[in-house]
Amino acid sequence: MTTSKTPPRRITQRRIAELAGVSQATVSLVLNDKADGAARIPEETRDRVLKVLRETGYVADPAARRLAGVGNKILGVFTYEPAFPTESLDFYTPLLSGIEAEAENLGCDLLIFTSAPVIDGTRQLFHRHNRLRLADGVLLLGREMDAGELATLVRDGYRVVAVGRRDAPDIPYVGIDYAPATESLLRRALELGHRRIAFLRDARGGESGADRLRGYEAALEGAAVESWIRATHGIDVAADWLAVREFAPTLLVVESPTVGAELREQAIADGIDVPSALSMIVLGSPARPNEHAVDFTRLAPPRAELGALAVALLSRILSDDDEPTESELRSLIACAIVDGSTLVAPEGRA
């Protein structure tokens, strides 16, 4: 003989009202903390509703709260590139750590949007299952972001903050000021006597890559140097090294510590001493350094701080009491420099 069990009754605001002996409107006011002025609720009534809420374990529907204009303290995180593949961890791990820490500090939960379709390695922000409205506001992560999608976000009134500088108008962001830090590193190289310089740059670097290039060009402007720039669209270390070897620089500048380590190995395998015959500068920093990592002279972008500041800015945008200024809506933080062991005077200039 089989028996059927009646499924447990779903707890709704109507059911809470029945159990507390009040109207559904009263329950809504208590949940949304709007019981003031003409809608003031007696303390005894409020306590009775809260007691039923605790006993039933009721959780408000976040979508319904958003439609009602009430915040859920849920912050969305959207990454244009998948954040968790092994090759992406070094870039995203410190950002996500900073985001998590500041969200915890603010008492917010994080919702990572993963249902967006991936086309050519890039997620599409808008699609037919778009759930961005579930969050009070959204953090946008990625080296490159679609300008059309960013314009749509602004037009449709989404509250967002981009992590990293963006050229798109009206998109709030917190970014790292790569240009002056890059310029400073290159000027050090010039002071040491480097006059033949190669720069392998990632063409997919977005605005941050453009800022590094701008700093590089500013440092070399007017200097009597031979500069060679190769824009790559992926990692092909063997081909890149052949091109570098043909130019024969005294200084090689790269953006990625991983690429830098592989090129250094290629140089050593070819009998070139690093750094006396070939100095190296890396315009980035590994997120998870270890005892075997190369001590590159490099930039050290504060990615964890960047993530935390982006959350703090989004929280202020969502707040009615602490509206950020125009300059705070589009801000840059300084990038540190690490004096490693891979930048020395070229041979004959010690």
Side-chain angles (χ1 to χ4, degrees):
M1 180 176 121
T2 59
T3 59
S4 61
K5 293 184 178 179
T6 302
R9 185 175 181 182
R10 187 171 74 90
I11 300 299
T12 63
Q13 287 191 27
R14 177 178 296 179
R15 180 59 177 158
I16 296 295
E18 292 173 356
L19 293 172
V22 298
S23 69
Q24 189 173 337
T26 298
V27 174
S28 178
L29 289 171
V30 172
L31 282 169
N32 297 332
D33 199 24
K34 292 183 177 179
D36 56 7
R40 185 172 302 279
I41 299 173
E43 194 66 29
E44 179 184 350
T45 302
R46 175 188 292 275
D47 290 343
R48 189 162 71 251
V49 173
L50 291 173
K51 181 174 183 292
V52 174
L53 289 170
R54 286 193 300 270
E55 290 175 347
T56 58
Y58 173 82
V59 177
D61 179 353
R65 287 174 60 84
R66 288 289 299 122
L67 287 171
V70 180
N72 293 300
K73 296 189 78 66
I74 295 177
L75 304 181
V77 179
F78 181 89
T79 63
Y80 273 90
E81 301 96 14
F84 299 109
T86 302
E87 63 270 19
S88 299
L89 285 178
D90 280 353
F91 181 80
Y92 281 111
T93 295
L95 282 175
L96 293 171
S97 295
I99 288 169
E100 179 185 33
E102 184 62 15
E104 180 180 353
N105 180 53
L106 294 171
C108 294
D109 290 312
L110 295 175
L111 175 61
I112 299 180
F113 295 105
T114 57
S115 64
V118 178
I119 300 175
D120 296 329
T122 301
R123 285 199 176 106
Q124 306 301 300
L125 184 61
F126 292 103
H127 56 99
R128 65 191 184 93
H129 297 304
N130 172 27
R131 299 184 181 93
L132 295 180
R133 294 289 189 191
L134 287 175
D136 301 335
V138 181
L139 296 168
L140 303 174
L141 280 65
R143 291 178 174 88
E144 293 184 279
M145 297 183 185
D146 185 279
E149 291 190 337
L150 295 182
T152 300
L153 287 170
V154 173
R155 184 196 68 205
D156 292 353
Y158 286 90
R159 292 174 289 184
V160 301
V161 168
V163 180
R165 188 186 71 78
R166 300 298 153 191
D167 291 328
D170 301 322
I171 287 291
Y173 65 74
V174 181
I176 294 173
D177 205 359
Y178 284 109
T182 300
E183 181 177 353
S184 179
L185 263 183
L186 266 295
R187 289 193 183 280
R188 293 186 190 185
L190 294 177
E191 291 170 1
L192 288 170
H194 288 280
R195 294 296 181 268
R196 194 170 179 84
I197 303 172
F199 182 16
L200 279 175
R201 62 179 301 266
D202 190 342
R204 305 165 301 172
E207 286 88 344
S208 63
D211 291 345
R212 290 179 174 97
L213 177 61
R214 182 159 50 86
Y216 175 92
E217 292 176 334
L220 271 55
E221 184 177 3
V225 300
E226 292 185 73
S227 170
W228 172 84
I229 301 175
R230 176 183 173 96
T232 65
H233 291 80
I235 298 175
D236 188 347
V237 174
D240 290 342
W241 172 245
L242 286 175
V244 171
R245 183 73 188 266
E246 183 178 351
F247 180 70
T250 63
L251 171 65
L252 173 60
V253 182
V254 299
E255 292 183 284
S256 162
T258 301
V259 174
E262 294 182 7
L263 289 169
R264 175 179 174 272
E265 290 180 3
Q266 290 275 355
I268 293 172
D270 280 1
I272 297 175
D273 185 85
V274 179
S276 61
L278 178 65
S279 285
M280 296 187 70
I281 286 175
V282 173
L283 304 181
S285 190
R288 296 172 294 170
N290 58 68
E291 60 184 30
H292 303 296
V294 180
D295 182 28
F296 282 117
T297 300
R298 64 189 186 275
L299 299 185
R303 292 197 181 103
E305 179 186 355
L306 177 66
L309 288 174
V311 172
L313 176 59
L314 182 57
S315 176
R316 292 184 62 189
I317 290 172
L318 296 172
S319 170
D320 295 327
D321 304 320
D322 188 20
E323 184 176 352
T325 65
E326 285 299 317
S327 62
E328 290 171 331
L329 286 171
R330 300 166 71 84
S331 62
L332 297 173
I333 59 176
C335 182
I337 292 175
V338 175
D339 293 312
S341 61
T342 59
L343 176 63
V344 300
E347 289 180 334
R349 293 291 301 271

